[in-house]
Amino acid sequence: MYEKILESFNKQGLMQTFNAKLALVENGRTEITCDFSAGLTQQHGFSCRSDDKYR
């Protein structure tokens, strides 16, 4: 399962632009991470983290 998802993920140019990585792949759940970048924040400087209570 992981290899199939990774192959698809690696074909997505936007994920490469974000320098995103697959952090977790399991049945029914996938987590993607990327380093903080000011260019990825919302209009008021907020960015979402996996441990945010508002995700």
Side-chain angles (χ1 to χ4, degrees), residues 7-55:
E7 180 182 352
S8 175
F9 183 85
N10 286 335
K11 291 179 182 177
Q12 298 180 41
L14 187 59
M15 295 298 110
Q16 293 173 8
T17 300
F18 290 163
N19 195 28
K21 307 288 184 228
L22 284 175
L24 176 72
V25 176
E26 58 185 36
N27 192 20
R29 183 176 177 177
T30 301
E31 290 186 9
I32 299 169
T33 62
C34 68
D35 294 331
F36 175 83
S37 169
L40 300 178
T41 60
Q42 296 180 9
Q43 64 189 16
H44 297 292
F46 296 104
S47 65
C48 184
R49 298 182 337 214
S50 62
D51 61 346
D52 283 347
K53 63 182 179 180
Y54 298 110
R55 70 176 182 159

